[in-house]
Each structure stands twice: as C-alpha cells, then as structure tokens.
Amino acid sequence: MRHNDSAIATERIAVEAADEGTGTASAATAPPSAGTAPGAATADIPPSHPVAPTAPARGALLAALGVAAFSLTFPGTAWALEGMGPWTVVMLRSVLAAVLAGGCLLVLRVRVPERRHWAGIAVVAGGVVLGFPLLTTLALQTSTTSHAAVVVGLLPLTTAAFSAVRTGARPSRTFWIASLTGAVVVIGFAVQQSGGAPGKGDLFLFAALLVCAAGYTEGARLARHLPGWQVIGWALVLALPLTSVGAAVALASEPLRLTVHAVCGLLWLAFGSQFLGLVVWYRGMAAIGVSKASQLQLAQPLLTLVWSVLLLGEHLPPEAPVAAVAVLVCIAVTQRTRG
C-alpha cells in the first residue's frame, strides 16, 4: 500500500466476472459490482480504476477473518460498557478508528475519492460506522451478549436481500431456502428467549440489521473500485466531525471509569471491529460476492457464544448453541449453491 494506485490497477484490464460466489466466469473489461449476476447491468459507479481481482479462496479467507473479528464485537462492547456510557462507547470507538484510518490515508498519500464514490461512502458511514454500533450498544444494555449474538444471525439474510435489490444479484432458490431457514431459527430463538414477544433490545437489534446490511452492500460494491481499507477509512473520516462532537458531549454527560476491561473493550472495538475487521471483510465480499460472503457470518453467533462464556462468564441457555449449530448447517448449504 505505497500509494493509492498500488492497490488499484493502473489501466483497464480484462478480468473474469465472477458468478455469484462461485468463481466461474465470463470475460469482461471490468469487474462487476459485488453480487452482480452474470450478464446483469453493473452498478452505477464506472470502474475506471478497478481493484485487481482476488482469488475466490483468498476472498473467502478474508471474509472469514472479518467474521472472526466481528465475533468479538459484542463481548468488547460489554466490557466497554462496564466503565462507560453507551454514547461514549460508540463515539470514542469511531473517533479512535478514524484517527488510525486517517493516519494511514495521510502517510500513504492516498488521493481523495472521486465525487461519484462519496454517496456510497456516506451509506457505509451511516450504516457501519454510526448506525450498527449505536443500535447494538443500546441493545446490550438490556440484552445479554449471547442473546444479541444469535439475533444478529439474521444479518446474512438482510445483507443478501439488500444486495439483490441494489446490484441485481439473483441467488438460487436453494440459497434463499437455506437463508430463510436460518432466519426462522434465529427469530424463533429471539421470541422464545423474550417470553413470546420481541423485547426492546430485540427492536434495536432488528434496526441494526437493516442499517448494517445497507452499509455492507455499499461497502462491498465500492471495494471493487477502491481497496477495502480505503472504503472504511474514508467512511470513518467522513463521520469524524460528527463523532468528535458526539464524543465530547458524551464524555461531559456520561460517567467514565477507566477499568482494564473498559479500556481493552474500547480499543478492540476501535481498531479490531471498526477498522481492521471491516478492511478484510469488504475485500472478501468484493472477491466472492455479497450474498455468499454474508452467509459466512452465520458462524458469528456460535463464535460469539464461545467468547461470551470465556470472557464474560455468561450462562448459556440450552437453546443458544442449538440455534447456532442450526444456522451453521445453513452455511454449508448456501456455500454450495450457485447464484
């Protein structure tokens, strides 16, 4: 990453347009938007400087690393909330991540994105920099980490739906059946754990799913034209004026107790979940398709359940691991389907 052009092809090259998550191809002069079906019209951003394509196997590995990083987000949030208020956690994590991202952009002398990219970057900022962290942090004030983790298992389905609407992707019927099955399992778990009706925390979590899916879809689309680290980096910088003011107000109005857990949780949220995790996640989605990559995130609830026991000492209800394993079965099905 010596320069903006170091991760971007310097001239138009012929690449194979990947079928949704399969790696099979037809020749094209530029890569389609993430998740676009073969022959479908590409998204509205002309690929004047397309990012060099990533092999499907490497793309799947990058997406999996992103999921591993995200699986620690809820435990990290729970730790941070031990010493900080919810607004302080959300704003400080974004400010710290923006400082890291902005420093990288400055040191590497990365050019400012072209005007046509900024609408998508704004969606990423609203969805994954502000919306999802805020809504999930508010949810964790009334929900356990394990409960929230299973509910967020719906994220792959919502991401696939946003991708289909935004990019024209058309996953197979088997793909949708497996995805909907996983969604039904998650919804059933949430309702059962909430006593027959969604609780306040569940409503926050469902809203978080929508805004995050929109941010994931736009980020993956942009990652076909900008390196993934620049997509989230510019989104963080774009939100910095708002998050800086928000952090100042939150610090003045909410109690602050800097315990080891609180500091470690905040640092992980800023540098692991908010920046590094999204870097590899967007690059992976750009390589193997939004719908396919999003299904890897069905493994996130199971990973978070493990962390909730090891790091938080939570007692898992018997239904939690059963629901998590059920959605893992759905992963196996969706990863074998063709778009």
Side-chain angles (χ1 to χ4, degrees):
M1 294 188 299
R2 297 192 307 267
H3 190 275
N4 186 33
D5 290 339
S6 65
I8 302 177
T10 57
E11 58 185 80
R12 188 182 300 269
I13 59 175
V15 298
E16 292 185 334
D19 189 7
E20 178 67 30
T22 65
T24 59
S26 58
T29 58
S33 298
T36 303
T42 55
D44 60 346
I45 298 181
S48 55
H49 298 286
V51 173
T54 300
R58 184 179 174 217
L61 175 61
L62 290 173
L65 289 174
V67 170
F70 299 153
S71 70
L72 280 163
T73 298
F74 286 170
T77 301
W79 271 12
L81 287 172
E82 291 180 11
M84 309 174 194
W87 289 93
T88 301
V89 172
V90 173
M91 296 302 167
L92 278 183
R93 67 180 277 186
S94 296
V95 169
L96 292 174
V99 170
L100 173 62
C104 292
L105 293 169
L106 183 63
V107 169
L108 297 173
R109 299 179 181 179
V110 176
R111 289 196 296 260
V112 175
E114 298 178 29
R115 182 179 299 177
R116 66 179 182 268
H117 296 313
W118 281 105
I121 291 173
V123 173
V124 174
V128 303
V129 174
L130 296 172
F132 185 79
L134 176 60
L135 292 166
T136 53
T137 300
L138 293 174
L140 286 173
Q141 291 189 294
T142 56
S143 296
T144 64
T145 299
S146 57
H147 179 90
V150 176
V151 173
V152 171
L154 283 174
L155 185 56
L157 178 61
T158 53
T159 302
F162 269 87
S163 173
V165 172
R166 184 67 181 89
T167 67
R170 293 294 180 268
S172 68
R173 181 180 299 178
T174 302
F175 178 96
W176 285 114
I177 291 174
S179 297
L180 287 170
T181 300
V184 168
V185 170
V186 170
I187 292 173
F189 171 82
V191 171
Q192 189 271 335
Q193 290 292 301
S194 299
K200 182 180 179 180
D202 290 325
L203 298 179
F204 281 130
L205 290 170
F206 291 142
L209 294 175
L210 297 178
V211 298
C212 189
Y216 277 176
T217 301
E218 284 301 306
R221 193 171 65 90
L222 285 170
R224 302 291 297 202
H225 309 277
L226 299 171
W229 76 274
Q230 292 182 24
V231 173
I232 185 58
W234 286 115
L236 286 163
V237 170
L238 180 63
L240 185 58
L242 178 60
T243 55
S244 297
V245 174
V249 173
L251 285 170
S253 58
E254 291 183 334
L256 180 65
R257 187 165 55 92
L258 296 180
T259 64
V260 173
H261 275 186
V263 172
C264 289
L266 179 66
L267 291 177
W268 174 257
L269 292 174
F271 302 133
S273 299
Q274 192 82 70
F275 184 64
L276 297 177
L278 285 168
V279 168
V280 294
W281 176 243
Y282 280 143
R283 194 70 185 102
M285 282 201 296
I288 65 176
V290 176
S291 297
K292 276 269 182 144
S294 69
Q295 298 311 303
L296 291 174
Q297 207 161 27
L298 283 170
Q300 187 173 323
L302 184 58
L303 292 173
T304 302
L305 292 180
V306 173
W307 297 128
S308 68
V309 173
L310 295 179
L311 299 179
L312 304 176
E314 289 189 3
H315 174 70
L316 297 183
E319 298 84 357
V322 173
V325 170
V327 296
L328 280 176
V329 174
C330 295
I331 291 179
V333 176
T334 57
Q335 290 302 296
R336 292 179 181 276
T337 61
R338 297 170 65 91

